[in-house]
Amino acid sequence: MDLRIFTEPQQGATYDTLLTVAKATEDLGFDAFFRSDHYLRMGSVDGLPGPSDAWITLAGLARETRRIRLGTLMTAATFRLPGVLAIQVAQVDQMSGGRVELGLGAGWFEEEHRAYGIPFPKEKFARLEEQLAIVTGLWQTPVGETFGYDGAHYQLVDSPALPKPAQNKVPVLIGGQGATRTPRLAAQYADEFNMPFASVEDSERQFGRVRKAAEAAGRKGDDLVYSNALVACVGKDDAEVARRAAAIGREVEDLKENGLAGSPAEVVDKIGRYAEAGASRMYLQMLDLQDLDHLELISSQVQARLG
């Protein structure tokens, strides 16, 4: 089971804070550092000092880390034109020496679009599908050839399809709980399918749909990595779990029901149930970015037990 650290900087984090967490992620042996792609806080937090851009953040981290993978859960297709996104991700991949992964979703948070003057179209899924076709098509076009696309939402004419990523193929992540269109899109474009904040039972059901869609598309179901994203709240005893839950404004029982919370042994057991459902990778949503001891505990007492 790969363990990855997943952050929500729109809730309040400077670049320096994210850099500290990313370096701890690397030093403590975790597989990757991912961040959300949002421009507005959620809930009652103040969000200070304000939002940071996901791909600018990852560009900085690309130069200040050496081993960990870097990526987004999920970049919103509404935020960037697909040609621009392809250039940005390819450049950050070059800057990292080939360690970038692109999570791409349709976008859902209408309030942040209004707050920063970003159009929020009614039909978002069709735009996501076109973006996936364009971004991957640009990267796959051989050097010296051009790429064109004539879609309902985007048109590209004689694009030089440059720059290229450092990797031969940047892994693409698609996620969500849609029963039909999401599995079909994952089967066509994804290297990894992610279930965010879902139960073991719902995850197993959706993983099965994606496997069937992959097979219908001529792929093997095991061609994709299957993963979950869940909030983490681990403590060496009940008091420490309660303190960490209070720090992020959550109830312990809710976290145990809907996340990865409790003692290291409890968390290892729950991760095992997700593994039985088909997951081989877990994104640990860390909401208190000042609590580096939390990362150390998970590394030494959870990750070590998972091998």
Side-chain angles (χ1 to χ4, degrees), residues 39 78-80 110 112-121:
Y39 291 131
T78 50
F79 284 178
R80 300 167 183 87
E110 184 174 4
E112 72 183 337
H113 291 73
R114 292 200 307 266
Y116 286 96
I118 302 168
F120 190 72

Side-chain angles (χ1 to χ4, degrees), residues 80-195:
R80 300 167 183 87
L81 297 171
V84 174
L85 179 61
I87 291 170
Q88 290 174 324
V89 177
Q91 183 176 3
V92 178
D93 194 52
Q94 291 176 0
M95 293 169 70
S96 72
R99 293 183 285 124
V100 158
E101 303 184 11
L102 171 62
L104 189 60
W108 61 271
F109 190 15
E110 184 174 4
E111 189 176 350
E112 72 183 337
H113 291 73
R114 292 200 307 266
Y116 286 96
I118 302 168
F120 190 72
K122 285 187 177 180
E123 179 46 70
K124 294 178 286 298
F125 198 90
R127 291 174 181 268
L128 169 62
E129 189 161 7
E130 290 193 12
Q131 286 221 357
L132 285 162
I134 292 166
V135 171
T136 58
L138 287 167
W139 291 339
Q140 292 166 3
T141 299
V143 175
E145 297 184 16
T146 60
F147 175 82
Y149 187 86
D150 186 17
H153 304 286
Y154 306 104
Q155 297 81 40
L156 284 75
V157 179
D158 293 334
S159 172
L162 297 172
K164 301 301 185 194
Q167 300 174 86
N168 290 331
K169 188 179 192 311
V170 172
V172 172
L173 290 73
I174 293 173
Q177 302 190 30
T180 304
R181 293 191 299 176
T182 297
R184 175 183 60 80
L185 207 59
Q188 185 172 1
Y189 293 106
D191 301 281
E192 177 178 336
F193 182 79
N194 179 264
M195 271 293 274

Side-chain angles (χ1 to χ4, degrees), residues 266-288:
E266 288 178 287
V267 171
V268 167
D269 179 70
K270 190 163 188 182
I271 289 174
R273 298 205 296 275
Y274 279 96
E276 291 173 358
S280 62
R281 181 171 290 160
M282 189 68 65
Y283 292 83
L284 307 178
Q285 185 193 44
M286 310 301 294
L287 296 178
D288 183 356

Side-chain angles (χ1 to χ4, degrees), residues 209-280:
R209 293 188 186 117
V210 174
R211 287 179 182 276
K212 289 181 180 178
E215 291 165 0
R219 301 176 66 182
K220 294 180 180 179
D222 288 340
D223 283 350
L224 287 81
V225 172
Y226 298 89
S227 64
N228 287 90
L230 292 165
V231 61
C233 182
V234 188
K236 62 180 183 292
D237 53 35
D238 290 346
E240 191 166 80
V241 174
R243 176 176 63 77
R244 289 196 164 114
I248 60 175
R250 299 283 292 273
E251 297 294 329
V252 171
E253 289 310 310
D254 171 62
L255 289 168
K256 287 189 175 184
E257 178 70 23
N258 299 303
L260 297 173
S263 68
E266 288 178 287
V267 171
V268 167
D269 179 70
K270 190 163 188 182
I271 289 174
R273 298 205 296 275
Y274 279 96
E276 291 173 358
S280 62

